[in-house]
Amino acid sequence: MARYTGADCKRCRREKTKLYLKGAKCDSPKCPIELRPYPPGEHGRARTKDSEYLLQMREKQKATRIYGILEKQFRGYYEEAHRRSGKTGENLLRILESRLDNVVYRAGFAASRDMARQLVRHGHFLVNGHKVDIPSYRVSENDIIEVRKKSVEMTPFIVARETHGERQVPAWLEAIPNQMRILVHSLPARQVIDTAIQEQLIVEFYSKV
């Protein structure tokens, strides 16, 4: 599967906001967007006229970059969200938040979504007692996610236990670091999703293409 292999910090600069793709570095003075708060490239400092279409496209791009999803899969999520009852934008965010890699990140068991994706791919997690190595796996209400016993003493999980509490875990999840377990109490409502995305712009973008 194709995957972006360039510098993550360039993606934050392109969106002119922190996407928190590099874990602790994003909160440090070394974060490139703190030093160069303008898009990368020769014309990064030039002022561009932000048309309605550009704003919508950039918001879609921002969402794909935050959650680490390629265009084809993201479009599939949008179409699924559109078919569901309720608001399409809220449905889309709920789908994105329910991905296993995002849940691992939100629970504080990985420093970034990229790291969470890698840990899931390497087969370190069980969902309801069964190994799952697909980052896009969708969790459900009352699911129990835990680190495999053979993996709990690996460095990333030792660090996760030591640093637990530095990042707030959303109310719809419960992280139990001493057991390396995550309980999914429910799927999130829009008001508890703190991702800085204007989902209505994404809906407007796809309604035109």
Side-chain angles (χ1 to χ4, degrees):
M1 178 180 177
R3 183 63 58 186
Y4 174 78
T5 57
D8 285 329
C9 294
K10 283 188 176 181
R11 308 181 109 185
C12 295
R13 290 177 59 207
R14 171 58 60 192
E15 304 306 331
K16 302 178 185 178
T17 186
K18 292 187 180 185
L19 304 181
Y20 295 94
L21 305 177
K22 298 292 286 184
K25 182 179 179 181
C26 298
D27 293 316
S28 77
K30 293 182 179 180
C31 178
I33 201 169
E34 299 282 359
L35 305 173
R36 291 169 289 173
Y38 49 84
E42 181 181 355
H43 303 290
R45 295 181 190 233
R47 295 187 64 180
T48 58
K49 183 180 179 181
D50 292 341
S51 66
E52 183 180 11
Y53 176 80
L54 179 61
L55 290 173
Q56 294 164 354
M57 184 186 70
R58 291 255 61 92
E59 201 68 17
K60 186 267 296 182
Q61 287 292 86
K62 186 199 298 185
T64 62
R65 289 169 173 176
I66 288 174
Y67 289 98
I69 301 170
L70 296 179
E71 172 60 30
K72 183 177 180 181
Q73 188 175 28
F74 192 84
R75 178 63 184 257
Y77 286 154
Y78 169 80
E79 292 175 353
E80 179 183 344
H82 185 65
R83 291 193 299 268
R84 292 185 180 183
S85 60
K87 295 182 178 180
T88 299
E90 293 183 11
N91 290 340
L92 176 61
L93 287 182
R94 195 172 293 115
I95 289 171
L96 296 171
E97 285 288 311
S98 66
R99 285 173 53 103
L100 180 57
D101 55 357
N102 179 74
V103 170
V104 169
Y105 165 72
R106 288 289 196 186
F109 287 10
S112 66
R113 287 184 178 89
D114 278 349
M115 181 179 177
R117 190 173 304 113
Q118 185 179 50
L119 292 173
V120 172
R121 278 208 189 102
H122 289 179
H124 296 306
F125 288 91
L126 305 176
V127 179
N128 300 326
H130 301 283
K131 186 177 83 168
V132 176
D133 57 6
I134 302 172
S136 61
Y137 176 89
R138 223 85 64 74
V139 304
S140 302
E141 187 175 341
N142 299 321
D143 275 355
I144 300 174
I145 302 151
E146 54 193 338
V147 177
R148 297 176 67 191
K149 290 183 179 179
K150 293 181 179 179
S151 304
V152 292
E153 295 306 321
M154 290 178 57
T155 300
F157 300 120
I158 293 174
V159 172
R161 289 195 292 274
E162 292 175 347
T163 59
H164 182 73
E166 293 182 1
R167 191 168 71 238
Q168 185 175 2
V169 178
W172 57 282
L173 298 174
E174 180 182 351
I176 309 174
N178 61 329
Q179 300 178 24
M180 292 310 290
R181 180 176 293 178
I182 306 166
L183 308 180
V184 182
H185 292 309
S186 63
L187 294 184
R190 177 63 184 98
Q191 57 266 30
V192 301
I193 300 174
D194 61 1
T195 308
I197 292 175
Q198 299 180 62
E199 65 273 13
Q200 186 55 37
L201 291 178
I202 300 174
V203 174
E204 292 170 2
F205 173 81
Y206 279 119
S207 68
K208 296 177 181 179
V209 297

